[in-house]
Structure formats: C-alpha cells, structure tokens
Amino acid sequence: MNPVINGPLYAVVPAAGIGERMGAGFPKQYLSLAGKTLAEHTLNRLLSFAPIDRVLVAVSVQDPWWPTLGVSTHSRIATVSGGAARAESVRNGVTRALELGGENAWVLVHDMARPLVRLSDIQNLLDQTDSQGAILALPVVDTIKQADDGNHIAATLDRDCIWRALTPQLFPARALHDALQGDLAGITDEASAMEKVGRRPALVAGHSDNIKVTVPEDLALARFYLACQLGDEESML
Ligand code: CTP
Ligand code: MG
C-alpha cells in the first residue's frame, strides 16, 4: 500500500439523488443492467476491492428501494443519510468515516451511478496519490470552445491542460471533511471542495468506460461497456 495512506480506507458512495435526468420515476441506481441493479454492480465492485475496509452508502431516508437490496445488509456496508445536494451526502459519509476510522482515515468517494469502474483504476489511484489526494480523470479529446453569453465562440481553450473529472476521488478524510464545511454551492465534486481551500489533488488517468449513467441513452452504453469488460475478462482466462 502507498505509504501516504496511513490509516483505514472507506468508500463513500453518494446515492441519494432522484435521477431526474434519467426520468425513470425512481432513482436511477435501481435500474437494471444485465440482471442486477446499477447499485449492486457498483457496490459489488467496491466490496471486491480488498483494501476498502467499509463502504458507506448515503441514501435518502425516504428511499424504500435500498432496504430491499440484499447487499444493503452486507457486513462491510453501512448506511448514512443522504442530503439535499450531492456534497451534503458526501459530507455525511465522510463524517462517518472519521467516526469509524479516526484521524488517519482516508475516503474514496464514488458515485453510485458509475457501475463500471475498473478495480485496476482504483488501484492506480491508490498507488499514485500523494498526501493531497487524487482523482480519476480523462484528458479531453475534443476541441474545447468557450462560449460568450449569446452562445457564440469566445475562445478555443488549450485542451492539453483540460481533463474531465470522474470518480473515485481519494482524500484524507479529515481534509475533505473540513473542506466540505460551509457553503457547498458550486461544489460538484470532492476535488473542487479541496481546490477551494487551496489544495491541488493529482489527476490520474482513468478509462472512458467509467461512465456516470445520467440520461436514458447511457443505459445502452453501459450494457455495451459491461459486455466489453466481461469479454476482456474471458479472453484473459
Ligand atoms: N447524489 C446524492 N445526493 C444528492 C444528489 C445526488 O447522493 N442529493 C448522488 C446520486 O445518487 C449519484 C451521484 O450523487 O449517485 C451523482 O449524481 P447525479 O448523477 O447527478 O445523480 P442524480 O442527482 O440522481 O441525477 P439527476 O441530477 O439527474 O437528478
Ligand atoms: Mg444530480
């Protein structure tokens, strides 16, 4: 294990969203992908990653679906209450990580809506982090335009220094907890909270199959990527 990770490791999984853009009528993590819910795919992957001591799942107190999943009572899973915004759900999970693991705990925050994360990418994140933390991300491949108010092009940005942030994002629990105090407006990932307090987490290149299932067409893409991943596994046997 990377020596900067000097305490227990907890996965914090925000899962208290309503899936408005998916429009399924229930939270998208309960949609089915190849016979299992997205939530089960995500959690099974995190549970199969041995360095994670426990998985802390933030769900809405009004969520009737979560208790019906067998995995919700797994001995390495604990439930915390979700908040009105993603960052609040994360904050609740990080607070629990500190309670359970003390001041040296680390947290690996991962969206429930990303069921295809590769264990090898999680390992890379652990291997490559420094004491400031690190996130999985992807260098952009498109040419990036900055718009003016009227949707005309104001500038073309230098894409060599632009990355898309993914999850997991890995941080010392205490530092992230403190960064998540106060105003959470505009905090759409953990790294942005850390940046706001002057830290500079590392970028670790992930894979583009680690999609966040967001809109209906993402389900077909998730099915395709899952089949590719399973095919790759078989071809390695
Ligand atoms: N999330 C959360 N608490 C919230 C809002 C979101 O824990 N108050 C979680 C979601 O459940 C999801 C992750 O954060 O696992 C990423 O958020 P997103 O993809 O935006 O999911 P939803 O908020 O559910 O979707 P939408 O924004 O379309 O409603
Ligand atoms: Mg959302």
Side-chain angles (χ1 to χ4, degrees), residues 14-233:
I18 57 169
E20 195 178 353
R21 286 169 287 181
M22 182 60 72
F26 54 89
K28 61 192 179 186
Q29 64 262 27
Y30 303 115
L31 285 165
S32 179
L33 173 65
K36 277 190 290 185
T37 60
L38 298 182
E40 288 166 306
H41 282 283
T42 304
L43 295 172
N44 289 345
R45 288 185 184 214
L46 294 173
L47 289 167
S48 66
F49 190 72
I52 294 175
D53 287 87
R54 272 186 143 198
V55 181
L56 311 175
V57 183
V59 291
S60 162
V61 282
Q62 289 137 15
D63 180 340
W65 299 278
W66 170 243
T68 69
L69 296 187
V71 74
S72 69
T73 56
H74 189 286
S75 59
R76 279 169 64 226
I77 288 201
T79 305
V80 301
S81 19
R86 181 184 175 282
E88 275 178 52
S89 300
V90 171
R91 184 168 61 191
N92 293 348
V94 176
T95 301
R96 179 63 59 84
L98 277 174
E99 287 163 5
L100 290 169
E103 291 297 316
N104 291 334
W106 278 65
V107 285
L108 185 78
V109 181
H110 182 61
D111 290 326
M112 189 66 104
R114 293 186 190 270
L116 299 171
V117 61
R118 299 175 184 214
L119 301 192
S120 54
D121 278 351
I122 303 181
Q123 188 62 55
N124 287 340
L125 193 58
L126 292 178
D127 290 343
Q128 291 176 42
T129 190
D130 57 29
S131 59
Q132 305 255 322
I135 75 168
L136 282 186
L138 278 177
V140 298
V141 292
D142 297 309
T143 298
I144 302 294
K145 303 296 186 188
Q146 186 173 337
D148 64 16
D149 291 345
N151 272 1
H152 288 85
I153 296 170
T156 299
L157 304 182
D158 175 11
R159 75 169 167 217
D160 286 350
C161 55
I162 296 185
W163 295 62
R164 289 166 48 208
L166 309 175
T167 73
Q169 302 198 354
L170 174 69
F171 298 103
R174 169 54 65 190
L176 180 58
H177 175 270
D178 292 354
L180 288 172
Q181 301 310 304
D183 184 13
L184 297 176
I187 301 290
T188 52
D189 72 346
E190 292 56 62
S192 53
M194 300 295 277
E195 292 156 41
K196 242 179 138 178
V197 296
R199 292 181 180 248
R200 300 184 68 182
L203 292 160
V204 174
H207 284 86
S208 53
D209 52 6
N210 183 12
I211 58 169
K212 180 160 72 71
V213 177
T214 306
V215 291
E217 50 268 37
D218 289 336
L219 279 172
L221 204 52
R223 261 193 296 278
F224 171 75
Y225 281 138
L226 180 63
C228 292
Q229 289 181 350
L230 296 175
D232 283 352
E233 240 169 54

